[in-house]
């Protein structure tokens, strides 16, 4: 037993999909793709080298098309992710640039492709937005498929795995993940990736445990090793002891029972024991996630991120394309609210990743509402699509990264202009819809009383609000521990925002990660937040937590809490007062 204990290893990563599984590891070996040699190609052979590259692309496209056509029914809605990869095969920044490097530098196709990818990927990886950062993975997955055809590598066929195993790989592309057979694959672990990746989204759809971004999983885990994957905590235990196995199995059974109970009761309203009701909504970025949201009892969509429709193309989407996408979501949601956030990226990077005019600090640069106001033609296209879709349901517009009243006023002018042009053209639309402001910049929170005079609602984005207020990058491991939702400064900004909204008769919502942590529910209710929005899988747990709370006399608790000076002191008070009825769940803890 002593020898066995010495072999137990705990690896830490990012929880991509909650749940616990125990089983044998199955290593997916794709290491050969990384070994690329450079050699000079004689001019007379350059056209043949370009032809070799084009043939590799063609084969990769055909292979992916076959996977799309054979996608299981439960993942059919995710075919759009794979269609995105089909587009990338012909993307001018990847395809044309590789051919250009072959011809100009007279190098082999493998080296040219590797060079182009090395230029493209950092532009996404250096972005602060988690969603955009993960788009670097899409480029990698597509390039890997091409590279395998160039070097003669065999692509892993996950559909042919005939054992009950846990997959361990450097990375799994959405195409590979979509081939997972639920009766055979218990879960998976990867070196790369994060919660915002499409692979992670598919794992959550399949509801199988996944831990991503482990870094060295393929080096530390061998074929047939017994491993434990905890997708909630973001941990992998390799060669667990008998004691660890018994404890984990008990925890897994408790989790499954708890999960079944939560989901079974998820249709019930989120109402405290003393009758205070709050809406619990879902955050989505793909239309396909609507099904999961409804299955988990979501009262509506509190945040519909629209960036994917721009990033999945080689040019800007048309008004009709956007309209159809929004309408599909609205039709499924029926009478429930659908909050559509306007474009929250720098459009140049969405269309043309390889420009030399990169901003030195994109997080504080021309993005979100700033970009939309600078590019009114792009903004008008989206606004017209939203107003047209609004005629079919309960739609709200949410304006991101607002820092002052001028931006709100200019945005309202743009919305009015979009409505006027639709009116003149005789196109069906709805202008009388709520337009809200995201409170994620400290200046917006401090001037919430001014913004409340114009906005129809506030939606607090705690991820950026915490990051900007405390001047920390939560993706930086050296300072990530400072990302404290219970910091007195954050609580004061939230309180000020809620107070200003209440004084002006408008509601305050929250769509940041803080909303997804059940233990924070009493504080958010006490501060005056009217609606919470989160990852769909977290909805049942948060709704259950709210039903466990009695907010009678919470004003006294809030007064005591607001007098405290450190996050730890506030955490202790919260645990003392509500810890027995509202547990932490750890799903969002790993992201802090």
């Amino acid at each position: 037993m002593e020898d066995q204990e010495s072999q137990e290893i705990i690896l830490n990563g990012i929880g991509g999909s909650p749940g616990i599984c125990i089983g044998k590891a199955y290593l997916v070996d794709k290491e050969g793709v990384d070994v690329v040699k450079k050699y000079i190609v004689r001019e007379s052979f350059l056209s043949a080298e370009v032809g070799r590259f084009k043939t590799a692309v063609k084969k990769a496209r055909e292979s992916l098309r076959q996977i799309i056509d054979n996608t299981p029914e439960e993942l059919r809605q995710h075919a759009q992710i794979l269609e995105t990869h089909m587009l990338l095969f012909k993307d001018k920044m990847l395809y044309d640039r590789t051919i250009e490097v072959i011809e100009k530098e007279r190098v082999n196709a493998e080296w040219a492709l590797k060079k182009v990818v090395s230029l493209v990927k950092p532009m996404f990886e250096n972005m602060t937005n988690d969603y955009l950062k993960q788009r670097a993975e899409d480029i990698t997955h597509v390039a890997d498929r091409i590279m395998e055809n160039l070097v003669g590598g065999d692509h892993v066929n996950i559909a042919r795995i005939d054992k009950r195993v846990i997959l361990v790989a450097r990375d799994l592309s959405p195409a590979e993940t979509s081939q997972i057979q639920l009766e055979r694959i218990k879960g998976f672990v990867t070196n790369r990736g994060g919660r915002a990746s499409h692979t992670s989204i598919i794992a959550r759809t399949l509801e199988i445990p996944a831990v991503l971004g482990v870094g060295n999983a393929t080096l530390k885990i061998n074929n047939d090793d017994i491993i434990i994957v905890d997708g909630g905590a973001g941990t992998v235990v390799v060669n667990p002891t008998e004691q660890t196995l018994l404890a984990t199995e008990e925890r897994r059974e408790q989790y499954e029972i708890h999960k079944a109970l939560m989901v079974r009761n998820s249709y019930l309203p989120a109402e405290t024991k003393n009758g205070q009701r709050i809406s619990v909504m879902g955050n989505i970025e793909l239309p396909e996630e609507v099904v999961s949201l409804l299955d988990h009892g979501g009262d509506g969509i509190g945040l519909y991120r629209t960036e994917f429709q721009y990033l999945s193309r080689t040019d800007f989407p048309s008004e009709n394309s956007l309209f159809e996408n929004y309408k599909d979501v609205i039709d499924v949601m029926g009478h429930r609210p659908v909050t559509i956030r306007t474009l929250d990226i720098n459009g140049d990077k969405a269309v043309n990743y390889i420009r030399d005019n990169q901003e030195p600090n994109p997080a504080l640069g021309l993005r979100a509402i700033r970009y939309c106001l600078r590019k009114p033609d792009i903004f008008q296209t989206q606004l017209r699509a939203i107003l047209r879709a609004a005629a079919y349901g309960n739609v709200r517009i949410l304006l991101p990264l607002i820092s002052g009243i001028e931006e709100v006023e200019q945005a309202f002018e743009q919305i009015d202009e979009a409505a006027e042009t639709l009116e003149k053209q005789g196109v069906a639309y709805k202008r009388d819809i709520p337009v809200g402001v995201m409170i994620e910049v400290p200046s917006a929170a401090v001037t919430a009383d001014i913004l409340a005079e114009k906005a129809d609602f506030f939606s607090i984005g705690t991820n950026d609000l915490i990051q900007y207020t405390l001047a920390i990058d939560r993706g930086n491991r050296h300072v990530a521990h400072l990302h404290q939702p219970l910091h007195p400064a954050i609580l004061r900004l939230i309180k000020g925002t809620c107070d200003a909204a209440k004084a002006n008769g408008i509601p305050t919502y929250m769509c940041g990660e803080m909303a997804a942590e059940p233990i924070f529910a009493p504080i958010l209710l006490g501060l005056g937040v009217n609606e919470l929005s989160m990852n769909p899988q977290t909805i049942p747990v948060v709704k259950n937590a709210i039903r466990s709370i009695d907010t009678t006399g919470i004003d006294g608790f809030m007064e005591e809490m607001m007098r405290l000076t450190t996050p730890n002191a506030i955490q202790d008070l919260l645990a003392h007062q509500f810890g027995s009825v509202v547990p932490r769940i750890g799903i969002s803890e790993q992201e802090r």
Side-chain angles (χ1 to χ4, degrees):
M1 179 65 75
E2 230 172 77
D3 183 52
Q4 189 181 0
E5 286 179 1
S6 67
Q7 294 176 14
E8 180 175 289
I9 303 170
I10 298 176
L11 306 177
N12 294 304
I14 298 164
S17 179
I20 300 168
C21 65
I22 305 169
K24 283 188 176 182
Y26 184 103
L27 258 67
V28 178
D29 183 15
K30 302 194 302 183
E31 298 297 328
V33 175
D34 276 350
V35 183
V36 175
K37 293 181 180 179
K38 177 183 179 180
Y39 56 86
I40 300 301
V41 177
R42 283 190 293 179
E43 191 164 357
S44 58
F45 290 112
L46 283 177
S47 61
E49 191 65 15
V50 170
R52 194 166 72 88
F53 172 70
K54 289 181 177 179
T55 299
V57 172
K58 185 170 181 263
K59 284 183 180 177
R61 280 174 60 85
E62 288 170 353
S63 169
L64 186 58
R65 173 52 62 192
Q66 191 173 7
I67 289 172
I68 292 171
D69 293 342
N70 295 328
T71 298
E73 191 58 39
E74 65 268 23
L75 287 173
R76 182 64 61 183
Q77 71 269 30
H78 284 285
Q80 184 181 1
I81 297 171
L82 307 185
E83 294 288 358
T84 301
H85 287 196
M86 292 292 285
L87 284 171
L88 279 173
F89 280 119
K90 284 291 185 180
D91 182 79
K92 61 183 180 180
M93 297 308 147
L94 197 63
Y95 184 83
D96 292 354
R97 185 68 179 270
T98 301
I99 293 173
E100 183 183 321
V101 171
I102 292 171
E103 293 175 336
K104 286 189 175 179
E105 300 185 18
R106 299 182 182 179
V107 292
N108 55 311
E110 294 92 338
W111 187 264
L113 177 59
K114 183 175 181 180
K115 178 177 180 177
V116 170
V117 171
S118 71
L119 291 172
V120 174
K121 278 182 61 183
M123 296 183 181
F124 280 104
E125 289 171 338
N126 293 332
M127 294 181 183
T128 56
N129 181 287
D130 287 341
Y131 179 79
L132 296 183
K133 197 177 288 188
Q134 296 298 335
R135 300 293 63 77
E137 292 182 20
D138 292 333
I139 294 161
T140 301
H141 295 319
V142 168
D144 280 351
R145 284 191 165 269
I146 300 170
M147 192 72 79
E148 280 159 3
N149 286 314
L150 287 170
V151 301
D154 291 326
H155 201 84
V156 60
N157 192 333
I158 289 171
R160 290 182 186 165
I161 295 173
D162 59 359
K163 311 175 191 176
R164 283 283 288 161
V165 292
I166 299 170
L167 295 183
V168 180
R170 285 188 308 146
D171 201 4
L172 288 172
S173 71
E176 289 158 352
T177 315
S178 71
Q179 296 176 77
I180 285 175
Q181 307 291 314
L182 283 176
E183 66 274 14
R184 295 186 188 130
I185 309 300
K186 293 182 172 185
F188 62 82
V189 180
T190 60
N191 293 353
R192 302 194 304 219
R195 275 187 64 83
S197 69
H198 293 313
T199 301
S200 180
I201 292 168
I202 292 175
R204 293 196 291 274
T205 300
L206 293 171
E207 296 192 10
I208 61 173
V211 176
L212 315 177
V214 176
N216 59 353
T218 52
L219 296 176
K220 296 287 187 180
I221 301 172
N222 298 311
N223 258 324
D224 293 331
D225 277 351
I226 299 296
I227 61 174
I228 297 169
V229 177
D230 188 332
T235 59
V236 180
V237 182
V238 187
N239 297 320
T241 63
E242 192 69 29
Q243 187 177 359
T244 301
L245 281 170
L246 289 170
T248 302
E249 183 58 36
E250 186 178 336
R251 210 154 46 83
R252 189 190 68 77
E253 288 178 6
Q254 289 174 349
Y255 171 82
E256 293 300 332
I257 293 168
H258 183 67
K259 177 184 170 184
L261 180 64
M262 293 298 100
V263 174
R264 190 160 64 245
N265 294 331
S266 64
Y267 69 92
L268 296 172
E271 185 175 311
T272 64
K273 289 186 172 182
N274 56 311
Q276 183 180 352
R277 183 175 289 200
I278 187 168
S279 294
V280 180
M281 319 276 273
N283 297 341
I284 69 167
E285 54 194 340
L286 298 173
E288 297 81 21
E289 292 179 277
V290 171
V291 175
S292 176
L293 186 152
L294 294 176
D295 286 346
H296 287 86
D299 297 321
I301 297 173
L303 175 63
Y304 180 9
R305 304 179 180 97
T306 56
E307 290 72 49
F308 177 74
Q309 290 165 261
Y310 292 77
L311 291 170
S312 63
R313 307 173 58 92
T314 55
D315 58 359
F316 284 101
S318 68
E319 179 185 319
N320 282 335
S321 171
L322 293 173
F323 163 71
E324 292 294 344
N325 230 305
Y326 302 153
K327 185 175 179 296
D328 285 347
V329 171
I330 291 162
D331 285 344
V332 176
M333 293 303 294
H335 66 279
R336 299 175 184 85
V338 176
T339 311
I340 302 176
R341 185 178 71 182
T342 58
L343 188 58
D344 189 12
I345 56 170
N346 178 322
D348 286 336
K349 290 187 179 70
V351 176
N352 190 343
Y353 328 135
I354 279 189
R355 294 205 172 174
D356 294 325
N357 59 344
Q358 275 189 285
E359 294 182 288
N361 194 344
L364 304 179
L366 185 66
R367 51 168 285 220
I369 195 65
R370 302 166 185 177
Y371 178 82
C372 289
L373 294 176
R374 181 77 68 89
K375 302 283 186 180
D377 54 331
I378 294 166
F379 200 21
Q380 280 293 307
T381 298
Q382 184 178 32
L383 291 175
R384 284 169 55 92
I386 294 173
L387 295 181
R388 285 173 60 191
Y392 297 88
N394 184 0
V395 175
R396 310 164 176 165
I397 293 177
L398 182 57
L399 305 172
L401 209 74
I402 293 293
S403 59
I405 190 65
E406 298 93 341
E407 291 165 335
V408 180
E409 291 171 344
Q410 290 171 38
F412 269 79
E413 289 171 6
Q414 289 289 329
I415 295 169
D416 289 339
E417 182 180 329
E420 287 169 14
T421 58
L422 290 169
E423 180 72 32
K424 287 177 183 176
Q425 294 169 0
V427 178
Y429 75 98
K430 186 178 180 183
R431 169 63 184 92
D432 187 22
I433 60 175
V435 180
V437 168
M438 276 199 83
I439 304 295
E440 51 190 335
V441 177
S443 63
V446 173
T447 59
D449 57 326
I450 299 172
L451 299 178
E453 295 177 5
K454 188 73 177 175
D456 294 313
F457 66 92
F458 287 150
S459 185
I460 302 174
T462 54
N463 301 359
D464 274 347
L465 183 63
I466 296 169
Q467 184 163 260
Y468 290 140
T469 302
L470 303 182
I472 59 104
D473 174 7
R474 66 179 181 150
N476 183 326
R477 63 187 178 87
H478 300 295
V479 295
H481 65 285
L482 298 174
H483 192 274
Q484 294 279 4
L486 296 182
H487 192 291
I490 303 302
L491 296 179
R492 291 181 188 187
L493 288 176
I494 294 173
K495 184 178 187 302
T497 299
C498 292
D499 289 349
K502 190 174 181 180
N504 283 270
I506 67 171
T508 300
Y509 311 144
M510 179 175 286
C511 60
E513 198 64 42
M514 189 175 181
E517 188 64 75
I519 192 65
F520 295 153
I523 288 180
L524 299 179
L525 289 173
L527 288 171
V529 176
N530 307 104
E531 176 184 293
L532 301 175
S533 192
M534 63 208 63
N535 180 290
Q537 283 73 23
T538 319
I539 291 171
V541 187
V542 172
K543 289 182 83 171
N544 184 68
I546 291 168
R547 289 194 291 268
S548 304
I549 298 168
D550 187 333
T551 56
T552 305
I554 200 169
D555 289 347
F557 165 77
M558 295 303 296
E559 287 175 13
E560 184 179 356
M561 184 196 73
M562 295 303 289
R563 285 195 296 267
L564 298 176
T565 57
T566 67
N568 285 341
I570 294 169
Q571 177 66 57
D572 289 345
L573 176 66
L574 185 58
H576 175 73
Q577 189 83 6
F578 295 99
S580 61
V581 292
V582 185
R584 297 184 72 93
I585 58 171
I587 287 176
S588 57
E589 177 66 14
Q590 72 241 347
E591 296 194 12
R592 246 175 236 125

